[in-house]
Amino acid sequence: MTTEVLESWVAGRWQGGSGDGTVVRDAVTGDEVVRVTSDGLDLAEVARYAREVGGPALRALDFGQRAAVLKQVAAMLDERKEELYELSARAGSTRRDSAVDVDGGIGTTFVYSSLGRKGLPAGHVIVEGPPEPLGKNGTFAGQHVLTSPHGLALQINAFNFPVWGMLEKLAPALLAGVPTVVKPATPTAYVAARAVRILDEAGVLPEGALQLVCGSLGDFFDLLGGQDHVGFTGSAHTAALLRSHAAVTSRSARFNAEADSLNCSVLGPDATPGTPEFDLFVKELVREMTVKAGQKCTAIRRALVPAEQLTAVAEAASERLSKVVVGAPGAEGVTMGALVGLEQRDDVRAAAGVLASAGRLVHGDPHRVDVVGADAEAGAFLAPLLVEVTDADRPEPHEVEAFGPVSTLLPYRDTPQLLDLIARGEGSLVGSVVSHDAGFVRDVVLGAAPFHGRLLVLDRDDAGESTGHGIPMPQLMHGGPGRAGGGEEEGGLRAVHAHLQRTAVQAGPRQLAALFAAEDPQAEK
Ligand code: NAP
């Protein structure tokens, strides 16, 4: 084996695991990039270092100081983001894709820094609201107080957002005073590792605040308990496996999951061809299919359109999709890169085949793609695939996630059937409704809300400033019920609170005032 082992950042040292490990290949050329293994690393030392070094160092800082650290984290990564762009290209990402991951992650960190600075109180403790009187004579009251637990935040990330995924979890944990251990997905661990190395070289983080384990976590869950927090992003299968570990079921480690999602986008009956909403719908659908080559947890998987518009939408989307140029990131004219690897391409092909068996392909061929600047077979390339399923009751579109440039077009008759189809996704991260009809939008938003973590309404009025269907915002909730994992990430300071322990303190008003004299409830805005 000549390819180098990707080093982990554990207990203050960069260390390589032993053994052959897993070979990670360039998504575009198929060349070996790194080997990933954690064999031989002392993972018990990782947990100890986080708890005994990182935790105390972070808890020694007040909220304002932690927010300042985050600002430096974002600034340092911003300074050297070209390195992250370059590495991301090896994972198949175009510059547009990397902007979502790299700039998105940096922007999220800046936002959290600002939220922390403006929205958290002075000191180390959050006192929630004024005391709640509990006795008739006013001598007994209760108050909630939020403090930093003495554990660690383990984050396990999916391959598609190695930078954003890490930073959106790191930021709230750091503000909460909890040290982080990052376990990146193996296919893009080298991108996450570079971001961590940049932060190490910049020296902006307190010692032990951040560690990185590349490769398997081994028995790490055996070391976790009630002071710890696990933030997982990935498949529903892995989420279910980890959620059932005794660390969670018996010892009550907090567990947050973001998993698969068959997100929908709805075209309103008013949005006929020629209206701005019809064009917005088609544009957004194609964008969601092609950014990150569709490897986005929030991508539109089910495009629900009025039955009478099915053909018009298929034609308009096909026309747009035919302008997509697939190829090596950075090559002349390329607008869509590669999937992360050949295995992923094979999985997506298989899933697209199942979807197509329920209807027909209206755009693209799973086994043929024209590629610019690379070898179509050596790289993990796939054409964007649009499937039309005229029988919207078929189970496949509501059950099968093709985690690539694949969407299904489905017709609906009326609003009740539409809401039924939406619910058949069994819980999604995001849905969108593209319509200028406020009544229709209201019915869809209120009918779909129980099944979604986020809903986007798009029309001619808000399109100019809309952040889009697929982009979670740090100020707003990211997560979803049911199939989507049942978790909540981001959502502004709510994500910080999720890392803190809430304790109800009952005492007389004089004691309460003395206990929290240094903390000002009014300061928490
Ligand atoms: P995955 O196979 O579940 O892997 C996710 C992460 O879990 C990786 O870091 C993986 O590490 C790790 N992992 C796997 N088995 C583990 C175990 N037994 N113990 C501890 N960690 C373990 O998912 P993926 O294929 O990377 O990601 C694609 C899926 O993620 C898609 O289904 C997509 O919908 C979902 N996703 C969801 C979101 C969201 O925000 N909801 C975002 C992105 C992706 P290794 O890579 O080393 O195996």
Side-chain angles (χ1 to χ4, degrees):
M1 287 278 175
T2 50
T3 313
E4 66 184 50
V5 167
L6 183 66
E7 289 185 319
S8 294
W9 171 236
V10 295
R13 296 187 302 282
W14 286 97
Q15 301 175 44
S18 56
D20 291 348
T22 303
V23 172
V24 175
R25 293 181 180 278
D26 189 305
V28 179
T29 61
D31 295 342
E32 292 186 10
V33 181
V34 283
R35 286 184 293 127
V36 177
T37 169
S38 63
D39 289 357
L41 299 182
D42 184 351
L43 298 185
E45 171 72 356
V46 171
R48 190 199 62 73
Y49 191 71
R51 292 189 182 117
E52 295 180 9
V53 179
L58 278 171
R59 294 197 298 275
L61 304 178
D62 63 25
F63 287 123
Q65 290 168 318
R66 292 176 209 157
V69 169
L70 272 186
K71 192 172 178 185
Q72 285 181 295
V73 164
M76 289 302 134
L77 290 172
D78 197 46
E79 237 172 55
R80 291 177 60 182
K81 67 182 177 187
E82 278 304 321
E83 294 172 38
L84 300 172
Y85 271 67
E86 268 173 41
L87 286 178
S88 303
R90 301 203 71 180
S93 294
T94 62
R95 282 191 81 82
R96 177 177 74 152
D97 300 337
S98 294
V100 183
D101 185 35
V102 177
D103 296 88
I106 292 168
T108 296
T109 312
F110 273 127
V111 169
Y112 266 105
S113 169
S114 164
L115 290 171
R117 203 175 59 251
K118 295 180 193 155
L120 292 173
H124 304 79
V125 175
I126 296 175
V127 181
E128 277 189 333
E132 200 64 48
L134 296 171
K136 281 185 185 153
N137 299 324
T139 62
F140 188 55
Q143 190 150 36
H144 286 117
V145 56
L146 303 180
T147 56
S148 305
H150 289 198
L152 59 88
L154 170 65
Q155 49 162 277
I156 302 175
N157 293 325
F159 67 79
N160 52 347
F161 289 113
V163 179
W164 175 83
M166 178 167 75
L167 294 174
E168 57 113 23
K169 291 189 180 80
L170 172 70
L174 195 144
L175 280 177
V178 180
T180 289
V181 175
V182 180
K183 189 273 181 261
T186 294
T188 51
Y190 57 94
V191 184
R194 177 62 65 90
V196 172
R197 205 174 269 278
I198 290 171
L199 294 177
D200 170 35
E201 288 171 7
V204 291
L205 284 166
E207 194 180 342
L210 176 63
Q211 296 180 80
L212 173 85
V213 176
C214 300
S216 164
L217 279 177
D219 297 331
F220 198 73
F221 267 61
D222 290 344
L223 305 171
L224 301 181
Q227 292 290 302
D228 302 312
H229 181 282
V230 180
F232 172 81
T233 302
S235 64
H237 173 77
T238 312
L241 185 81
L242 298 179
R243 203 197 289 277
S244 63
H245 193 281
V248 181
T249 57
S250 301
R251 298 193 293 280
S252 306
R254 296 178 193 200
F255 188 83
N256 191 77
E258 308 289 331
D260 317 354
S261 189
L262 292 161
N263 314 293
C264 66
S265 182
V266 174
L267 179 70
D270 58 303
T272 51
T275 61
E277 284 73 26
F278 184 90
D279 294 341
L280 287 167
F281 178 86
V282 171
K283 197 171 162 192
E284 195 72 352
L285 172 62
V286 170
R287 181 162 64 156
E288 287 298 314
M289 288 176 69
T290 55
V291 174
K292 294 284 302 179
Q295 302 166 114
K296 248 166 73 228
C297 53
T298 50
I300 298 169
R301 302 291 173 209
R302 299 179 298 153
L304 296 158
V305 306
E308 59 277 15
Q309 302 302 349
L310 193 63
T311 307
V313 173
E315 283 172 5
S318 289
E319 194 189 323
R320 245 180 197 277
L321 286 168
S322 61
K323 295 186 188 128
V324 173
V325 180
V326 179
E332 183 76 24
V334 166
T335 55
M336 187 176 106
L339 301 182
V340 77
L342 294 178
E343 208 178 308
Q344 178 68 13
R345 183 190 62 182
D346 293 345
D347 285 354
V348 176
R349 267 185 185 155
V354 175
L355 292 172
S357 72
R360 69 181 184 102
L361 271 163
V362 290
H363 185 88
D365 179 340
H367 299 284
R368 204 184 150 269
V369 56
D370 293 327
V371 169
V372 172
D375 181 313
E377 280 312 304
F381 296 102
L382 194 66
L385 305 170
L386 186 62
V387 179
E388 180 187 277
V389 176
T390 46
D391 178 3
D393 284 329
R394 291 279 304 225
E396 294 87 344
H398 311 291
E399 291 175 2
V400 178
E401 183 199 42
F403 201 61
V406 188
S407 279
T408 307
L409 267 181
L410 297 158
Y412 69 86
R413 279 187 313 276
D414 50 28
T415 308
Q417 191 212 8
L418 170 65
L419 294 179
D420 178 54
L421 293 173
I422 290 173
R424 287 184 59 185
E426 292 185 355
S428 297
L429 297 170
V430 56
S432 53
V433 48
V434 190
S435 166
H436 199 50
D437 177 341
F440 175 77
V441 166
R442 183 179 185 280
D443 289 346
V444 176
V445 167
L446 297 184
F451 302 93
H452 288 86
R454 179 165 65 86
L455 287 167
L456 172 94
V457 178
L458 189 60
D459 70 358
R460 65 196 75 178
D461 296 335
D462 71 3
E465 285 198 301
S466 170
T467 44
H469 170 104
I471 306 283
M473 301 305 290
Q475 300 87 339
L476 301 178
M477 145 92 175
H478 173 56
R483 185 198 293 273
E488 288 193 17
E489 273 178 5
E490 304 208 295
L493 293 176
R494 285 163 58 100
V496 180
H497 291 190
H499 282 83
L500 298 169
Q501 176 60 42
R502 176 175 285 107
T503 305
V505 181
Q506 294 174 291
R510 189 183 65 85
Q511 298 275 31
L512 284 178
L515 267 177
F516 307 123
E519 317 293 338
D520 174 14
Q522 303 313 318
E524 192 201 355
K525 298 180 192 95

